[in-house]
Amino acid sequence: GFLVLFLGSYAYRPNAEAIDFLVERVFPRLLREVPDARLAVLGGEIPHSREWLLAPGEVPAADLTAWVRAADVGTAPVFSGAGTRVKILEYMAAGLPVGATSKGAEGLDVRPGEDFLLAEDEADFADALTRVARDRALAGSLGARGREAVRTHYDWAAILRVLGLRTD
């Protein structure tokens, strides 16, 4: 199978918009191209039920790693809200290829087409996920470049350098 991951609580409006978008608009398109695709939404109860939807609710931190490792791609179709896009950094740190909107990647030092796939609407999003599902070389290079981007810009040593603090 092909496991698509979304991390975030439905109680937070931007996450609810993203989850609704994935369930109602992206997945019907994706399943036509990738019939064995599944969507895992971690972070609380959601008001959706589909045969291809895995929604275990809140997952203990210890189990989160296993879910991320099992996933083939991480998603961040964010359309509103502010703050750091921690979910993208989590996906990338784990070496997962990422599909995100420009709003989802806002403020991060990552490059569309190199560190992640940029998609702004349901057709683009389904297409990006289909590309990752079908092209393992693309998936691997996106994952490796995303992991390197996180290591370069967001690990503690990089953060300390930005703050002008010593890292020795």
mmCIF file of all heavy atoms in Angstrom, residues 67-117:
data_model
loop_
_atom_site.group_PDB
_atom_site.id
_atom_site.type_symbol
_atom_site.label_atom_id
_atom_site.label_comp_id
_atom_site.label_asym_id
_atom_site.label_seq_id
_atom_site.Cartn_x
_atom_site.Cartn_y
_atom_site.Cartn_z
ATOM 1 N N TRP A 67 4.484 5.278 13.118
ATOM 2 C CA TRP A 67 3.576 5.768 12.078
ATOM 3 C C TRP A 67 4.348 6.533 11.004
ATOM 4 O O TRP A 67 4.122 6.346 9.812
ATOM 5 C CB TRP A 67 2.499 6.676 12.668
ATOM 6 C CG TRP A 67 1.355 5.940 13.273
ATOM 7 C CD1 TRP A 67 1.166 5.642 14.597
ATOM 8 C CD2 TRP A 67 0.221 5.404 12.587
ATOM 9 N NE1 TRP A 67 -0.006 4.953 14.752
ATOM 10 C CE2 TRP A 67 -0.609 4.803 13.542
ATOM 11 C CE3 TRP A 67 -0.165 5.383 11.242
ATOM 12 C CZ2 TRP A 67 -1.818 4.183 13.203
ATOM 13 C CZ3 TRP A 67 -1.364 4.763 10.905
ATOM 14 C CH2 TRP A 67 -2.172 4.171 11.875
ATOM 15 N N VAL A 68 5.255 7.398 11.450
ATOM 16 C CA VAL A 68 6.034 8.194 10.488
ATOM 17 C C VAL A 68 6.906 7.276 9.638
ATOM 18 O O VAL A 68 6.996 7.446 8.422
ATOM 19 C CB VAL A 68 6.867 9.279 11.217
ATOM 20 C CG1 VAL A 68 7.812 9.968 10.255
ATOM 21 C CG2 VAL A 68 5.936 10.302 11.880
ATOM 22 N N ARG A 69 7.516 6.275 10.262
ATOM 23 C CA ARG A 69 8.346 5.329 9.506
ATOM 24 C C ARG A 69 7.528 4.516 8.505
ATOM 25 O O ARG A 69 8.021 4.162 7.442
ATOM 26 C CB ARG A 69 9.055 4.367 10.461
ATOM 27 C CG ARG A 69 10.266 4.982 11.101
ATOM 28 C CD ARG A 69 11.197 3.912 11.657
ATOM 29 N NE ARG A 69 12.315 4.550 12.336
ATOM 30 C CZ ARG A 69 12.608 4.370 13.613
ATOM 31 N NH1 ARG A 69 11.898 3.549 14.343
ATOM 32 N NH2 ARG A 69 13.627 4.996 14.146
ATOM 33 N N ALA A 70 6.295 4.215 8.857
ATOM 34 C CA ALA A 70 5.427 3.416 7.982
ATOM 35 C C ALA A 70 4.900 4.220 6.802
ATOM 36 O O ALA A 70 4.531 3.658 5.771
ATOM 37 C CB ALA A 70 4.255 2.846 8.785
ATOM 38 N N ALA A 71 4.878 5.542 6.947
ATOM 39 C CA ALA A 71 4.300 6.407 5.912
ATOM 40 C C ALA A 71 5.216 6.497 4.695
ATOM 41 O O ALA A 71 6.430 6.361 4.797
ATOM 42 C CB ALA A 71 4.049 7.801 6.478
ATOM 43 N N ASP A 72 4.599 6.742 3.546
ATOM 44 C CA ASP A 72 5.328 6.944 2.296
ATOM 45 C C ASP A 72 5.494 8.425 1.964
ATOM 46 O O ASP A 72 6.396 8.798 1.223
ATOM 47 C CB ASP A 72 4.590 6.247 1.143
ATOM 48 C CG ASP A 72 4.616 4.746 1.306
ATOM 49 O OD1 ASP A 72 5.714 4.162 1.213
ATOM 50 O OD2 ASP A 72 3.545 4.150 1.567
ATOM 51 N N VAL A 73 4.604 9.250 2.500
ATOM 52 C CA VAL A 73 4.650 10.687 2.216
ATOM 53 C C VAL A 73 3.926 11.425 3.335
ATOM 54 O O VAL A 73 2.943 10.918 3.880
ATOM 55 C CB VAL A 73 4.020 10.999 0.830
ATOM 56 C CG1 VAL A 73 2.558 10.610 0.773
ATOM 57 C CG2 VAL A 73 4.202 12.460 0.438
ATOM 58 N N GLY A 74 4.443 12.612 3.676
ATOM 59 C CA GLY A 74 3.782 13.473 4.654
ATOM 60 C C GLY A 74 3.103 14.624 3.939
ATOM 61 O O GLY A 74 3.581 15.079 2.897
ATOM 62 N N THR A 75 1.979 15.086 4.490
ATOM 63 C CA THR A 75 1.230 16.160 3.839
ATOM 64 C C THR A 75 1.007 17.347 4.765
ATOM 65 O O THR A 75 0.851 17.193 5.967
ATOM 66 C CB THR A 75 -0.144 15.684 3.339
ATOM 67 O OG1 THR A 75 -0.897 15.187 4.450
ATOM 68 C CG2 THR A 75 -0.003 14.611 2.282
ATOM 69 N N ALA A 76 0.973 18.523 4.158
ATOM 70 C CA ALA A 76 0.668 19.761 4.880
ATOM 71 C C ALA A 76 -0.108 20.695 3.960
ATOM 72 O O ALA A 76 0.404 21.728 3.533
ATOM 73 C CB ALA A 76 1.948 20.418 5.377
ATOM 74 N N PRO A 77 -1.359 20.315 3.636
ATOM 75 C CA PRO A 77 -2.175 21.203 2.805
ATOM 76 C C PRO A 77 -2.825 22.273 3.672
ATOM 77 O O PRO A 77 -4.001 22.221 3.989
ATOM 78 C CB PRO A 77 -3.218 20.252 2.208
ATOM 79 C CG PRO A 77 -3.385 19.187 3.250
ATOM 80 C CD PRO A 77 -2.038 19.048 3.919
ATOM 81 N N VAL A 78 -2.021 23.252 4.075
ATOM 82 C CA VAL A 78 -2.475 24.294 4.991
ATOM 83 C C VAL A 78 -2.882 25.520 4.185
ATOM 84 O O VAL A 78 -2.164 25.945 3.278
ATOM 85 C CB VAL A 78 -1.345 24.639 5.993
ATOM 86 C CG1 VAL A 78 -1.764 25.767 6.923
ATOM 87 C CG2 VAL A 78 -0.947 23.399 6.794
ATOM 88 N N PHE A 79 -4.046 26.085 4.531
ATOM 89 C CA PHE A 79 -4.584 27.226 3.793
ATOM 90 C C PHE A 79 -4.746 28.470 4.655
ATOM 91 O O PHE A 79 -5.014 29.544 4.144
ATOM 92 C CB PHE A 79 -5.926 26.865 3.161
ATOM 93 C CG PHE A 79 -5.820 25.718 2.200
ATOM 94 C CD1 PHE A 79 -6.138 24.432 2.590
ATOM 95 C CD2 PHE A 79 -5.348 25.921 0.913
ATOM 96 C CE1 PHE A 79 -6.011 23.368 1.713
ATOM 97 C CE2 PHE A 79 -5.209 24.859 0.020
ATOM 98 C CZ PHE A 79 -5.546 23.589 0.427
ATOM 99 N N SER A 80 -4.610 28.320 5.978
ATOM 100 C CA SER A 80 -4.778 29.459 6.879
ATOM 101 C C SER A 80 -3.960 29.220 8.135
ATOM 102 O O SER A 80 -3.376 28.152 8.317
ATOM 103 C CB SER A 80 -6.261 29.635 7.244
ATOM 104 O OG SER A 80 -6.718 28.516 7.989
ATOM 105 N N GLY A 81 -3.945 30.239 9.002
ATOM 106 C CA GLY A 81 -3.224 30.092 10.266
ATOM 107 C C GLY A 81 -1.817 30.624 10.176
ATOM 108 O O GLY A 81 -1.344 31.026 9.119
ATOM 109 N N ALA A 82 -1.152 30.635 11.316
ATOM 110 C CA ALA A 82 0.201 31.166 11.405
ATOM 111 C C ALA A 82 1.033 30.233 12.276
ATOM 112 O O ALA A 82 0.527 29.254 12.802
ATOM 113 C CB ALA A 82 0.163 32.568 12.005
ATOM 114 N N GLY A 83 2.297 30.567 12.396
ATOM 115 C CA GLY A 83 3.157 29.755 13.252
ATOM 116 C C GLY A 83 4.075 28.877 12.433
ATOM 117 O O GLY A 83 3.944 28.766 11.215
ATOM 118 N N THR A 84 5.003 28.251 13.117
ATOM 119 C CA THR A 84 5.982 27.386 12.461
ATOM 120 C C THR A 84 5.308 26.116 11.976
ATOM 121 O O THR A 84 4.472 25.555 12.669
ATOM 122 C CB THR A 84 7.114 27.033 13.446
ATOM 123 O OG1 THR A 84 7.649 28.247 13.937
ATOM 124 C CG2 THR A 84 8.203 26.250 12.755
ATOM 125 N N ARG A 85 5.689 25.676 10.819
ATOM 126 C CA ARG A 85 5.101 24.469 10.229
ATOM 127 C C ARG A 85 5.855 23.238 10.725
ATOM 128 O O ARG A 85 6.583 22.598 9.975
ATOM 129 C CB ARG A 85 5.147 24.557 8.717
ATOM 130 C CG ARG A 85 4.598 25.850 8.158
ATOM 131 C CD ARG A 85 3.186 26.132 8.621
ATOM 132 N NE ARG A 85 2.674 27.343 7.967
ATOM 133 C CZ ARG A 85 1.725 28.090 8.449
ATOM 134 N NH1 ARG A 85 1.162 27.784 9.590
ATOM 135 N NH2 ARG A 85 1.311 29.146 7.800
ATOM 136 N N VAL A 86 5.669 22.945 12.007
ATOM 137 C CA VAL A 86 6.431 21.873 12.640
ATOM 138 C C VAL A 86 6.190 20.537 11.949
ATOM 139 O O VAL A 86 7.102 19.736 11.807
ATOM 140 C CB VAL A 86 6.104 21.792 14.151
ATOM 141 C CG1 VAL A 86 6.819 20.616 14.799
ATOM 142 C CG2 VAL A 86 6.490 23.087 14.834
ATOM 143 N N LYS A 87 4.969 20.288 11.468
ATOM 144 C CA LYS A 87 4.694 18.974 10.851
ATOM 145 C C LYS A 87 5.598 18.725 9.651
ATOM 146 O O LYS A 87 6.087 17.625 9.460
ATOM 147 C CB LYS A 87 3.217 18.777 10.528
ATOM 148 C CG LYS A 87 2.613 19.712 9.515
ATOM 149 C CD LYS A 87 1.176 19.368 9.157
ATOM 150 C CE LYS A 87 0.195 19.423 10.259
ATOM 151 N NZ LYS A 87 -0.228 20.724 10.743
ATOM 152 N N ILE A 88 5.883 19.770 8.860
ATOM 153 C CA ILE A 88 6.765 19.588 7.706
ATOM 154 C C ILE A 88 8.174 19.240 8.169
ATOM 155 O O ILE A 88 8.825 18.359 7.610
ATOM 156 C CB ILE A 88 6.786 20.843 6.808
ATOM 157 C CG1 ILE A 88 5.434 20.983 6.106
ATOM 158 C CG2 ILE A 88 7.907 20.759 5.775
ATOM 159 C CD1 ILE A 88 5.344 22.148 5.152
ATOM 160 N N LEU A 89 8.646 19.916 9.207
ATOM 161 C CA LEU A 89 9.982 19.610 9.726
ATOM 162 C C LEU A 89 10.033 18.190 10.278
ATOM 163 O O LEU A 89 11.033 17.486 10.108
ATOM 164 C CB LEU A 89 10.385 20.626 10.794
ATOM 165 C CG LEU A 89 10.502 22.075 10.316
ATOM 166 C CD1 LEU A 89 10.877 22.992 11.471
ATOM 167 C CD2 LEU A 89 11.494 22.207 9.179
ATOM 168 N N GLU A 90 8.953 17.755 10.936
ATOM 169 C CA GLU A 90 8.884 16.379 11.444
ATOM 170 C C GLU A 90 8.982 15.377 10.297
ATOM 171 O O GLU A 90 9.743 14.418 10.360
ATOM 172 C CB GLU A 90 7.564 16.140 12.200
ATOM 173 C CG GLU A 90 7.443 16.899 13.487
ATOM 174 C CD GLU A 90 8.112 16.184 14.647
ATOM 175 O OE1 GLU A 90 8.548 15.022 14.491
ATOM 176 O OE2 GLU A 90 8.207 16.801 15.720
ATOM 177 N N TYR A 91 8.196 15.586 9.256
ATOM 178 C CA TYR A 91 8.228 14.686 8.101
ATOM 179 C C TYR A 91 9.626 14.648 7.489
ATOM 180 O O TYR A 91 10.174 13.586 7.197
ATOM 181 C CB TYR A 91 7.259 15.137 7.005
ATOM 182 C CG TYR A 91 5.798 15.251 7.353
ATOM 183 C CD1 TYR A 91 5.025 16.263 6.784
ATOM 184 C CD2 TYR A 91 5.162 14.350 8.205
ATOM 185 C CE1 TYR A 91 3.665 16.384 7.054
ATOM 186 C CE2 TYR A 91 3.810 14.469 8.480
ATOM 187 C CZ TYR A 91 3.064 15.483 7.907
ATOM 188 O OH TYR A 91 1.728 15.593 8.166
ATOM 189 N N MET A 92 10.179 15.836 7.246
ATOM 190 C CA MET A 92 11.482 15.913 6.592
ATOM 191 C C MET A 92 12.587 15.310 7.439
ATOM 192 O O MET A 92 13.469 14.625 6.916
ATOM 193 C CB MET A 92 11.813 17.367 6.246
ATOM 194 C CG MET A 92 10.999 17.913 5.101
ATOM 195 S SD MET A 92 11.509 19.602 4.723
ATOM 196 C CE MET A 92 10.623 19.869 3.195
ATOM 197 N N ALA A 93 12.552 15.566 8.751
ATOM 198 C CA ALA A 93 13.574 15.011 9.636
ATOM 199 C C ALA A 93 13.571 13.490 9.577
ATOM 200 O O ALA A 93 14.608 12.844 9.718
ATOM 201 C CB ALA A 93 13.354 15.489 11.073
ATOM 202 N N ALA A 94 12.395 12.917 9.326
ATOM 203 C CA ALA A 94 12.262 11.465 9.224
ATOM 204 C C ALA A 94 12.597 10.952 7.823
ATOM 205 O O ALA A 94 12.537 9.752 7.569
ATOM 206 C CB ALA A 94 10.840 11.042 9.601
ATOM 207 N N GLY A 95 12.920 11.877 6.891
ATOM 208 C CA GLY A 95 13.249 11.469 5.536
ATOM 209 C C GLY A 95 12.049 11.180 4.664
ATOM 210 O O GLY A 95 12.167 10.541 3.619
ATOM 211 N N LEU A 96 10.864 11.651 5.092
ATOM 212 C CA LEU A 96 9.659 11.453 4.274
ATOM 213 C C LEU A 96 9.586 12.525 3.192
ATOM 214 O O LEU A 96 9.830 13.701 3.474
ATOM 215 C CB LEU A 96 8.395 11.613 5.126
ATOM 216 C CG LEU A 96 7.859 10.439 5.898
ATOM 217 C CD1 LEU A 96 6.554 10.847 6.586
ATOM 218 C CD2 LEU A 96 7.626 9.249 4.994
ATOM 219 N N PRO A 97 9.220 12.153 1.961
ATOM 220 C CA PRO A 97 8.891 13.185 0.990
ATOM 221 C C PRO A 97 7.644 13.929 1.487
ATOM 222 O O PRO A 97 6.829 13.361 2.206
ATOM 223 C CB PRO A 97 8.604 12.416 -0.296
ATOM 224 C CG PRO A 97 8.430 11.013 0.087
ATOM 225 C CD PRO A 97 9.041 10.805 1.438
ATOM 226 N N VAL A 98 7.520 15.189 1.104
ATOM 227 C CA VAL A 98 6.436 16.027 1.610
ATOM 228 C C VAL A 98 5.702 16.697 0.453
ATOM 229 O O VAL A 98 6.324 17.193 -0.477
ATOM 230 C CB VAL A 98 6.994 17.117 2.553
ATOM 231 C CG1 VAL A 98 5.904 18.106 2.969
ATOM 232 C CG2 VAL A 98 7.646 16.487 3.777
ATOM 233 N N GLY A 99 4.375 16.712 0.565
ATOM 234 C CA GLY A 99 3.524 17.502 -0.312
ATOM 235 C C GLY A 99 2.893 18.596 0.528
ATOM 236 O O GLY A 99 2.308 18.303 1.574
ATOM 237 N N ALA A 100 3.022 19.859 0.110
ATOM 238 C CA ALA A 100 2.518 20.970 0.910
ATOM 239 C C ALA A 100 2.084 22.121 0.027
ATOM 240 O O ALA A 100 2.555 22.270 -1.092
ATOM 241 C CB ALA A 100 3.603 21.452 1.881
ATOM 242 N N THR A 101 1.194 22.934 0.578
ATOM 243 C CA THR A 101 0.842 24.203 -0.050
ATOM 244 C C THR A 101 1.931 25.222 0.294
ATOM 245 O O THR A 101 2.725 25.011 1.217
ATOM 246 C CB THR A 101 -0.503 24.721 0.498
ATOM 247 O OG1 THR A 101 -0.409 24.784 1.922
ATOM 248 C CG2 THR A 101 -1.660 23.815 0.098
ATOM 249 N N SER A 102 1.938 26.354 -0.419
ATOM 250 C CA SER A 102 2.906 27.400 -0.083
ATOM 251 C C SER A 102 2.641 27.919 1.326
ATOM 252 O O SER A 102 3.576 28.206 2.075
ATOM 253 C CB SER A 102 2.874 28.534 -1.111
ATOM 254 O OG SER A 102 1.568 29.009 -1.275
ATOM 255 N N LYS A 103 1.373 27.993 1.733
ATOM 256 C CA LYS A 103 1.031 28.411 3.096
ATOM 257 C C LYS A 103 1.552 27.372 4.092
ATOM 258 O O LYS A 103 2.013 27.722 5.175
ATOM 259 C CB LYS A 103 -0.488 28.584 3.236
ATOM 260 C CG LYS A 103 -0.951 29.129 4.565
ATOM 261 C CD LYS A 103 -0.656 30.606 4.697
ATOM 262 C CE LYS A 103 -1.242 31.166 5.983
ATOM 263 N NZ LYS A 103 -0.805 32.549 6.211
ATOM 264 N N GLY A 104 1.487 26.111 3.718
ATOM 265 C CA GLY A 104 1.970 25.051 4.601
ATOM 266 C C GLY A 104 3.459 25.128 4.840
ATOM 267 O O GLY A 104 3.940 24.762 5.915
ATOM 268 N N ALA A 105 4.198 25.599 3.849
ATOM 269 C CA ALA A 105 5.658 25.680 3.965
ATOM 270 C C ALA A 105 6.132 27.094 4.302
ATOM 271 O O ALA A 105 7.328 27.353 4.361
ATOM 272 C CB ALA A 105 6.306 25.224 2.657
ATOM 273 N N GLU A 106 5.177 27.987 4.543
ATOM 274 C CA GLU A 106 5.488 29.387 4.804
ATOM 275 C C GLU A 106 6.476 29.535 5.955
ATOM 276 O O GLU A 106 6.332 28.912 7.000
ATOM 277 C CB GLU A 106 4.182 30.105 5.162
ATOM 278 C CG GLU A 106 4.253 31.592 5.292
ATOM 279 C CD GLU A 106 2.872 32.164 5.546
ATOM 280 O OE1 GLU A 106 2.314 31.941 6.642
ATOM 281 O OE2 GLU A 106 2.338 32.808 4.634
ATOM 282 N N GLY A 107 7.493 30.363 5.716
ATOM 283 C CA GLY A 107 8.447 30.653 6.778
ATOM 284 C C GLY A 107 9.561 29.633 6.924
ATOM 285 O O GLY A 107 10.478 29.841 7.705
ATOM 286 N N LEU A 108 9.478 28.536 6.202
ATOM 287 C CA LEU A 108 10.521 27.512 6.294
ATOM 288 C C LEU A 108 11.547 27.726 5.195
ATOM 289 O O LEU A 108 11.209 28.136 4.080
ATOM 290 C CB LEU A 108 9.925 26.106 6.162
ATOM 291 C CG LEU A 108 8.959 25.676 7.261
ATOM 292 C CD1 LEU A 108 8.447 24.269 6.961
ATOM 293 C CD2 LEU A 108 9.619 25.734 8.625
ATOM 294 N N ASP A 109 12.787 27.413 5.498
ATOM 295 C CA ASP A 109 13.863 27.552 4.519
ATOM 296 C C ASP A 109 13.954 26.260 3.702
ATOM 297 O O ASP A 109 14.884 25.481 3.838
ATOM 298 C CB ASP A 109 15.177 27.847 5.257
ATOM 299 C CG ASP A 109 16.261 28.353 4.328
ATOM 300 O OD1 ASP A 109 16.035 28.342 3.095
ATOM 301 O OD2 ASP A 109 17.323 28.759 4.818
ATOM 302 N N VAL A 110 12.909 26.022 2.895
ATOM 303 C CA VAL A 110 12.840 24.822 2.052
ATOM 304 C C VAL A 110 12.410 25.245 0.653
ATOM 305 O O VAL A 110 11.699 26.232 0.488
ATOM 306 C CB VAL A 110 11.868 23.763 2.629
ATOM 307 C CG1 VAL A 110 12.420 23.182 3.930
ATOM 308 C CG2 VAL A 110 10.475 24.331 2.854
ATOM 309 N N ARG A 111 12.876 24.490 -0.353
ATOM 310 C CA ARG A 111 12.654 24.871 -1.741
ATOM 311 C C ARG A 111 11.662 23.934 -2.427
ATOM 312 O O ARG A 111 11.880 22.721 -2.466
ATOM 313 C CB ARG A 111 13.986 24.834 -2.491
ATOM 314 C CG ARG A 111 15.007 25.831 -1.940
ATOM 315 C CD ARG A 111 16.412 25.392 -2.242
ATOM 316 N NE ARG A 111 16.612 24.032 -1.716
ATOM 317 C CZ ARG A 111 17.747 23.349 -1.804
ATOM 318 N NH1 ARG A 111 18.779 23.846 -2.417
ATOM 319 N NH2 ARG A 111 17.840 22.137 -1.295
ATOM 320 N N PRO A 112 10.596 24.506 -3.003
ATOM 321 C CA PRO A 112 9.636 23.675 -3.734
ATOM 322 C C PRO A 112 10.302 22.982 -4.911
ATOM 323 O O PRO A 112 11.165 23.555 -5.569
ATOM 324 C CB PRO A 112 8.573 24.659 -4.212
ATOM 325 C CG PRO A 112 9.015 26.014 -3.847
ATOM 326 C CD PRO A 112 10.249 25.920 -3.014
ATOM 327 N N GLY A 113 9.931 21.743 -5.149
ATOM 328 C CA GLY A 113 10.494 20.977 -6.255
ATOM 329 C C GLY A 113 11.811 20.322 -5.919
ATOM 330 O O GLY A 113 12.256 19.432 -6.634
ATOM 331 N N GLU A 114 12.452 20.765 -4.843
ATOM 332 C CA GLU A 114 13.716 20.163 -4.423
ATOM 333 C C GLU A 114 13.580 19.493 -3.065
ATOM 334 O O GLU A 114 13.923 18.332 -2.909
ATOM 335 C CB GLU A 114 14.816 21.232 -4.374
ATOM 336 C CG GLU A 114 15.169 21.766 -5.746
ATOM 337 C CD GLU A 114 16.368 22.698 -5.681
ATOM 338 O OE1 GLU A 114 17.345 22.375 -4.995
ATOM 339 O OE2 GLU A 114 16.311 23.760 -6.327
ATOM 340 N N ASP A 115 13.096 20.268 -2.061
ATOM 341 C CA ASP A 115 12.961 19.724 -0.718
ATOM 342 C C ASP A 115 11.552 19.176 -0.465
ATOM 343 O O ASP A 115 11.349 18.379 0.447
ATOM 344 C CB ASP A 115 13.261 20.809 0.324
ATOM 345 C CG ASP A 115 14.654 21.403 0.160
ATOM 346 O OD1 ASP A 115 15.586 20.651 -0.171
ATOM 347 O OD2 ASP A 115 14.800 22.627 0.349
ATOM 348 N N PHE A 116 10.575 19.635 -1.236
ATOM 349 C CA PHE A 116 9.188 19.171 -1.102
ATOM 350 C C PHE A 116 8.451 19.449 -2.404
ATOM 351 O O PHE A 116 8.944 20.196 -3.253
ATOM 352 C CB PHE A 116 8.488 19.855 0.088
ATOM 353 C CG PHE A 116 8.108 21.299 -0.156
ATOM 354 C CD1 PHE A 116 6.793 21.640 -0.436
ATOM 355 C CD2 PHE A 116 9.050 22.315 -0.092
ATOM 356 C CE1 PHE A 116 6.435 22.969 -0.658
ATOM 357 C CE2 PHE A 116 8.709 23.641 -0.312
ATOM 358 C CZ PHE A 116 7.390 23.967 -0.597
ATOM 359 N N LEU A 117 7.284 18.840 -2.569
ATOM 360 C CA LEU A 117 6.451 19.108 -3.737
ATOM 361 C C LEU A 117 5.386 20.130 -3.359
ATOM 362 O O LEU A 117 4.662 19.955 -2.375
ATOM 363 C CB LEU A 117 5.784 17.816 -4.239
ATOM 364 C CG LEU A 117 6.731 16.784 -4.839
ATOM 365 C CD1 LEU A 117 5.948 15.555 -5.288
ATOM 366 C CD2 LEU A 117 7.528 17.370 -6.010
#
